Amino acid sequence: VRMRLRDNPSACPSLWRSLPCPPAELRLDLVLASGQTFRWWESSPGAWTGVLGGHVWTLRQERERLWYTVYGQEQEQHDGPPTEVKLDGAEMERILRDYFQLDVGLSALYRTWGAADPQFHEVASDFPAGVRVLRQDPVECLLSFICTTNNHISRITAMIDRLCQTFGRHLCHLDAQPFHAFPSLSALSGADAEARLRALGFGYRAKFVSGTARAIAEGLGAEGLYQLRTVPYHEARRVLCTLPGVGAKVADCVCLMALDKAEAVPVDTHVWRIARERYGVALSGRSLTPRAHQEIGDFFRGLWGPHAGWAQAVLFCADLHKAQEPAGRQDRAQGGRCRTRCGDG
């Protein structure tokens, strides 16, 4: 299926919808490029195109509204049969509201965190509001974050793109750009999956991606992974840490961004240093041990409350943005050679 990229509602207004969403509640440029997800790119200034829920979307913010268009919904002449079920307007809006967790009032949380923590108040006063935590598909989030250790955003994005093109179902072409769904567990757990991932440049992570896909397929199942949304945070974290290549950092990223654990605080060496140097947290060791992970997480949960992971996401994004300031324009668009939430590189 070949279609043209749409980057502005004024070009094809009948193919776009919108919902109210002020910038203080959501900034696409901050959220989609901050290392939470690796499936979106700025297809033209202010327009973000990517794959969500097995469909290809373009999103755009204009003043107080979030505009969106989903490809494959229009009545056009294609060079092949439709490859996806069409969404009605209500379902499109539901998917977006769920993905961006728009039922969570961000402005009120910023005020709460700023009142509790002068350092948060200082950072937030100099940095745009609108940094939210995404609610992602647990399988995609887990397997993607296994690729983030000791890595940087632009390289991870390229890896995930190769993964989807090689193992995922083809959705459509926008102009000359192909788009694929995230691969199924069965596709990534085949006998030759690890070797194929190594050929794609995944290195040691190939074993963990294919091994975790196989462990889930043969154990919990995708549905069981989804069900971790309903169990307490520490139980979900414990289960995730039994999977190949999943340590405390990756588990906390998945808990926060896919399993509804807003209190999960991903801790890398950068956050460890912040806890010690900026907040004076007295830790039991001189390295980032599992106990230190727990102590730092508990400290920030006590400081910021039940949405502590969201507050940490704001500080992370502010630091990421600051680190990219001296970089060139292209590096900023691609994420530059910056750390990720789970990578120390």
Side-chain angles (χ1 to χ4, degrees):
V1 181
R2 291 184 178 271
M3 288 168 276
R4 290 187 175 183
L5 178 67
R6 300 189 287 269
D7 60 5
N8 198 308
S10 62
C12 304
S14 65
L15 300 178
W16 288 78
R17 294 174 177 270
S18 72
L19 56 88
C21 187
E25 290 294 321
L26 171 65
R27 280 280 299 266
L28 291 177
D29 58 329
L30 299 178
V31 173
L32 297 180
S34 64
Q36 288 193 54
T37 175
F38 309 100
R39 304 300 311 279
W40 298 88
W41 105 100
E42 195 171 12
S43 46
S44 67
W48 293 82
T49 299
V51 180
L52 170 61
H55 295 79
V56 183
W57 303 62
T58 293
L59 311 178
R60 188 178 191 92
Q61 282 183 286
E62 293 186 359
R63 293 181 290 277
E64 301 289 309
R65 301 196 74 80
L66 173 62
W67 288 86
Y68 54 97
T69 184
V70 182
Y71 298 90
Q73 311 303 302
E74 63 275 26
Q75 298 297 321
E76 291 183 357
Q77 293 297 315
H78 304 306
D79 58 4
T83 59
E84 54 196 41
V85 177
K86 290 188 177 182
L87 304 173
D88 63 27
E91 181 65 5
M92 290 182 200
E93 181 169 330
R94 186 202 66 76
I95 290 171
L96 273 191
R97 287 188 174 279
D98 181 72
Y99 185 62
F100 288 111
Q101 305 200 70
L102 294 180
D103 59 329
V104 177
L106 193 59
S107 298
L109 286 175
Y110 270 63
R111 290 193 294 271
T112 299
W113 298 326
D117 177 9
Q119 293 212 46
F120 182 93
H121 177 77
E122 182 179 348
V123 171
S125 64
D126 293 331
F127 187 70
V131 178
R132 312 184 67 82
V133 170
L134 300 173
R135 188 178 196 242
Q136 301 180 60
D137 174 83
V139 172
E140 177 173 340
C141 186
L142 172 60
L143 296 177
S144 295
F145 271 92
I146 287 174
C147 301
T148 64
T149 51
N150 301 309
N151 217 338
H152 56 82
I153 292 175
S154 58
R155 184 164 181 260
I156 300 161
T157 300
M159 290 170 66
I160 299 301
D161 187 54
R162 294 195 298 272
L163 176 81
C164 295
Q165 288 199 37
T166 303
F167 293 93
R169 175 173 60 92
H170 178 258
L171 297 174
C172 68
H173 271 75
L174 296 185
D175 298 332
Q177 176 94 14
F179 285 83
H180 295 75
F182 197 84
S184 65
L185 288 171
S186 59
L188 291 173
S189 57
D192 63 343
E194 181 181 343
R196 293 173 70 192
L197 287 167
R198 286 188 181 276
L200 293 175
F202 277 64
Y204 69 89
R205 302 174 190 88
K207 179 179 180 181
F208 296 143
V209 171
S210 61
T212 286
R214 190 175 303 111
I216 296 172
E218 296 174 354
L220 277 174
E223 186 59 35
L225 191 61
Y226 274 86
Q227 287 301 315
L228 294 180
R229 287 176 168 174
T230 66
V231 307
Y233 160 55
H234 290 295
E235 173 63 12
R237 192 172 185 263
R238 183 194 66 77
V239 172
L240 291 174
C241 285
T242 65
L243 297 167
V246 180
K249 291 181 295 185
V250 171
D252 275 332
C253 287
V254 178
C255 281
L256 175 64
M257 300 173 212
L259 297 180
D260 298 342
K261 314 303 180 210
E263 71 270 39
V265 178
V267 178
D268 60 7
T269 55
H270 180 77
V271 174
W272 176 67
R273 284 194 297 270
I274 287 174
R276 292 175 62 199
E277 297 168 11
R278 292 192 202 170
Y279 288 89
V281 180
L283 300 172
S284 56
R286 292 182 175 272
S287 61
L288 189 49
T289 62
R291 183 173 177 181
H293 270 274
Q294 187 66 45
E295 290 171 347
I296 293 168
D298 288 345
F299 170 78
F300 285 122
R301 281 184 281 275
L303 178 63
W304 293 325
H307 279 77
W310 285 56
Q312 191 265 352
V314 176
L315 298 188
F316 179 94
C317 192
D319 275 6
L320 180 64
H321 188 79
K322 186 176 180 180
Q324 291 173 358
E325 278 302 305
R329 189 171 183 175
Q330 183 177 358
D331 285 344
R332 288 201 301 274
Q334 295 177 345
R337 298 189 64 82
C338 56
R339 67 190 180 91
T340 70
R341 289 168 188 274
C342 296
D344 300 332

